[in-house]
Structures are given as structure tokens and as C-alpha cells.
Amino acid sequence: MQTKIIRIDSEHIDIEKMQEAAALICEGELVAFPTETVYGLGADALRPEASVKIYEAKGRPSDNPLIVHISKIEDLKRIAKEVPEQAKKLADAFWPGPLTMVVWKNECVPYTTTGGMETVAVRMPNHPVALSLISESGCLIAAPSANTSGKPSPTEASHVALDMDGRIPMILDGGAVGIGIESTIVDLTEEKPMILRPGYITKQMLEEVLGEEVVIDPGILATDTTDPSQAGQKPKAPGMRYKHYAPKADLVLVEGDTNKVVAEINRLVSVARAEGKSVGVIATDETKAMYQADVVFSIGARDDEDAIAQHLYKILRDFDEQEVDAIYSESFATPRIGQAIMNRLLKAAGYQVLYV
Ligand code: AMP
Ligand code: MG
């Protein structure tokens, strides 16, 4: 299959091009498109055979449900058994935006889209190209991240092309995304609203709007720590259970006081190089010049959380291209979205962390 890559200017959307993409969605085909979080791989969410194609193209396990993307609030009523009061409040505050809500599904949502679950995950993305594709097609669009399963999520159309070329008919190229990590997922079918995946919208932001306590899925806390006493809890979102975002090289995080971290990483680098390995380092603007490694990438300024989130996946992909054997990274447990950043980075590192 030939993959057509169509450049769309987000500020001046070319409706004819969007109609061509929308027609593919209506035919049950796949179209990759930008959202504000990462690129999505879209198909008609209400057609079972269309969402099956998504799993095939990504090599995604079929029990890992898809997020349904909508362009207007009425669409939520189309697929939810009932719309909880909390969903209305959260939609008012954060949609369109990087928040996914899990609600009970009704019969029009096929089990292929929900991975066999009785609930459905819904989000209204804040990106003009995504919103235009949804509204032009008149469909609700099921879309996971547009990467091959297990690879870092794509933050540029070129990343999608690397993974999906020849597998899908069209990629809409809307440039680099703004946020760079996937949406926060909040489950509204539990007794208390529960965060299944941390993201740009934090627990505090949700609590402020809801006026009640929001809990974090104990299953993700269990996997986000190296503490063996927490092991054994399974994350509720099926996708959070899989190995994810792994770069080809072995990645180890080093955490602690900056000066000690730099010294330890340089020591580890020289040990690895003495063994004949090619070594990469993930640094910040402040520390980049302090490392003696084969490849050093800065993820951004240490206090610029947005930049760190935006560059994370691109850097992991760039290291794959550089073909290094080992990567050492500083740790980025920043105040606001640090939990979301570290959740991804720890997974990429297979939870290998050294404390100095
Ligand atoms: P992706 O779109 O690739 O970022 O993945 C979507 C994430 O949402 C995965 O981790 C899924 O397991 C999760 N998800 C989707 N639908 C549901 C649902 N109904 N209940 C819980 N998690 C879900
Ligand atoms: Mg994904």
C-alpha cells in the first residue's frame, strides 16, 4: 500500500484535503493525524472492522482498548450509557484538551474498540486538524498513538512515517505536536475518580474542578517504583501493563543531586566506553557541556517541564538512529508534570534507576 503524506497548515486548514482524509475514515480506512499530545492512528470507532485494522497496523494486542476521539460534547452522549456529573464538569474545564475520561459504554460501541471492556475511553483533542477530521468525517474516531506497539509515541509526522509507511493509506502532517506525552486518563466508573495514566492534566487540577478526592490507580504506582513490597498490583488500563517506549539501547536513569549525577554518569560512560560500547547521555541545557560521551542530547532547560515532555520521545527515537549501545539519563521528577514524564521514562528504562 502506498502511504500518502499530506501537509496541513493548522492555521489555515485546507478543507479539500481534509475531505479526502475524512472520506478514507468513512470507508473504514486508517488515517494518522496530529493531536496536541501525540500523533494518533485513526479509524471509525463505531465500525468493528475499522478498529481491527488499527490493531493490525500497530501490532497492538487486541485486549488493549482504543481512545474514542470526539469533536463536540453531544458525541459523548452518543456512546456513553450515561454521562456522569463529573464528566460534565471535567469536559467544561478541560475539553478540548489532554484529558481522557473512562465511562460506561452503550451498545453502539463495538467491543473491538474497547478491547472487550464494558467501558469506553473518550477524549476531545485540542488540535484543529484532529477536530476537523472528526467533524468532516461525521464519525467518532478511535485512535491510539500512531507508533508500532512498543515504540515511543510519535511527536512528528516523520516518526509516524517510519513506523507506518506502506501500512496505512494516509498521514496528515501538521508539524510537531505541542505537548509530547499522551493524555491523562481518568476513570469515572470507580467509586472515586481514578487516574489510570498520568499526563499533562494533574491530580490537583482534577480535584480543583471536581471538588472531591481523585485517587491514582495503585497498579501504576506499583509499577512506577522499584519497591518490591508494591509489586503484584496490575494497572487498570490494559495499555499500562505492557512494556512500552523501549529504545533499542539499554537505558539507565541516575537520580540525585545534579553534581553527583553528572559525576556518576561520566564514570559510567567511561566504564562502558572502555568495554568498547558507544554511549549516549540524556542531559539538560545546563549540563550538556559537562558530559564526555559519544552522543549527548539535551532534553531542554531543567525548569522547563513543557520542553522536557515535548522532547522526550523524539530523543528516544533519535538514540535508536544513532545506534548507541547504552544510554544514561538524568532524572526529571519536576513539580507539575514530572510524574507523567517519569512514568514514561521509567518504563523506557525498564525501571533501572541508580540513586547517588
Ligand atoms: P494510546 O492511545 O496508545 O495512548 O493508548 C490508550 C490507553 O488508554 C491505553 O493504555 C489503554 O489501555 C487505555 N484505555 C483505553 N480505553 C480504556 C478503558 N475503557 N478502560 C481503561 N483503559 C483504557
Ligand atoms: Mg500508545
Side-chain angles (χ1 to χ4, degrees):
M1 178 187 301
Q2 181 101 8
T3 302
K4 212 167 165 181
I5 302 181
I6 298 188
R7 170 87 206 150
I8 306 277
D9 179 350
S10 301
E11 298 199 339
H12 304 97
I13 292 206
D14 182 332
I15 288 295
E16 255 173 52
K17 288 179 181 166
M18 291 309 303
Q19 282 167 344
E20 193 185 335
L24 283 170
I25 296 284
C26 294
E27 288 161 21
E29 282 303 331
L30 304 186
V31 174
F33 60 96
T35 79
E36 81 279 34
T37 56
V38 300
Y39 271 75
L41 181 60
D44 184 344
L46 303 187
R47 267 174 61 173
E49 69 284 6
S51 38
V52 165
K53 285 188 184 164
I54 293 180
Y55 293 97
E56 283 169 3
K58 280 181 62 82
R60 180 177 176 110
S62 61
D63 64 348
N64 189 4
L66 310 173
I67 294 173
V68 177
H69 291 71
I70 63 174
S71 63
K72 49 188 191 305
I73 193 80
E74 292 74 47
D75 292 339
L76 176 59
K77 297 180 193 135
R78 261 174 79 187
I79 54 174
K81 202 166 195 178
E82 59 189 275
V83 178
E85 208 45 50
Q86 297 147 321
K88 291 178 195 153
K89 286 187 188 168
L90 293 176
D92 256 355
F94 300 115
W95 277 359
L99 179 69
T100 296
M101 297 186 224
V102 173
V103 296
W104 295 107
K105 79 173 196 74
N106 68 21
E107 57 291 336
C108 75
V109 187
Y111 287 114
T112 45
T113 294
T114 67
M117 296 176 90
E118 291 301 333
T119 56
V120 62
V122 192
R123 176 167 107 84
M124 191 191 294
N126 186 15
H127 194 293
V129 175
L131 291 170
S132 163
L133 182 65
I134 301 165
S135 56
E136 283 301 324
S137 68
C139 296
L140 310 189
I141 299 189
S145 50
N147 51 294
T148 303
S149 219
K151 290 251 247 153
S153 298
T155 55
E156 295 174 11
S158 63
H159 302 164
V160 182
L162 272 175
D163 286 10
M164 292 297 153
D165 192 34
R167 305 177 78 93
I168 62 173
M170 187 179 285
I171 299 170
L172 297 175
D173 177 358
V177 301
I179 292 180
I181 52 175
E182 304 85 346
S183 58
T184 304
I185 302 179
V186 64
D187 186 346
L188 301 177
T189 68
E190 293 279 345
E191 202 181 299
K192 287 181 182 170
M194 183 185 279
I195 293 177
L196 305 186
R197 175 171 75 183
Y200 192 82
I201 307 285
T202 61
K203 172 173 145 77
Q204 286 72 19
M205 291 160 81
L206 296 172
E207 284 176 339
E208 232 163 77
V209 169
L210 291 174
E212 64 176 310
E213 191 195 2
V214 172
V215 296
I216 297 181
D217 177 4
I220 61 168
L221 292 176
T223 56
D224 275 6
T225 166
T226 42
D227 175 0
S229 71
Q230 299 234 29
Q233 292 247 34
K234 253 187 171 182
K236 192 176 174 199
M240 301 295 279
R241 295 175 202 151
Y242 297 107
K243 188 172 189 295
H244 234 172
Y245 319 126
K248 290 181 197 154
D250 193 41
L251 169 64
V252 176
L253 312 186
V254 182
E255 200 169 307
D257 180 63
T258 304
N259 292 331
K260 287 187 187 159
V261 167
V262 172
E264 179 62 8
I265 289 181
N266 273 328
R267 191 188 68 78
L268 291 163
V269 168
S270 54
V271 171
R273 289 180 85 183
E275 291 167 359
K277 289 181 182 161
S278 163
V279 191
V281 171
I282 303 179
T284 58
D285 289 354
E286 293 85 350
T287 57
K288 185 170 191 272
M290 300 176 191
Y291 292 108
Q292 294 93 43
D294 297 285
V295 188
V296 182
F297 287 133
S298 171
I299 198 163
R302 175 151 284 280
D303 61 4
D304 188 351
E305 295 184 70
D306 292 338
I308 293 173
Q310 216 172 32
H311 299 144
L312 177 64
Y313 288 142
K314 180 178 163 44
I315 283 187
L316 293 178
R317 281 182 177 263
D318 286 348
F319 270 124
D320 281 349
E321 268 180 31
Q322 298 282 334
E323 306 205 327
V324 292
D325 305 301
I327 307 168
Y328 296 102
S329 175
E330 296 180 15
S331 176
F332 308 101
T334 54
R336 186 170 43 88
I337 48 174
Q339 189 182 30
I341 294 167
M342 289 308 291
N343 169 268
R344 275 61 168 189
L345 195 55
L346 279 163
K347 277 193 183 180
Y351 302 96
Q352 300 188 86
V353 189
L354 297 173
Y355 300 91
V356 290

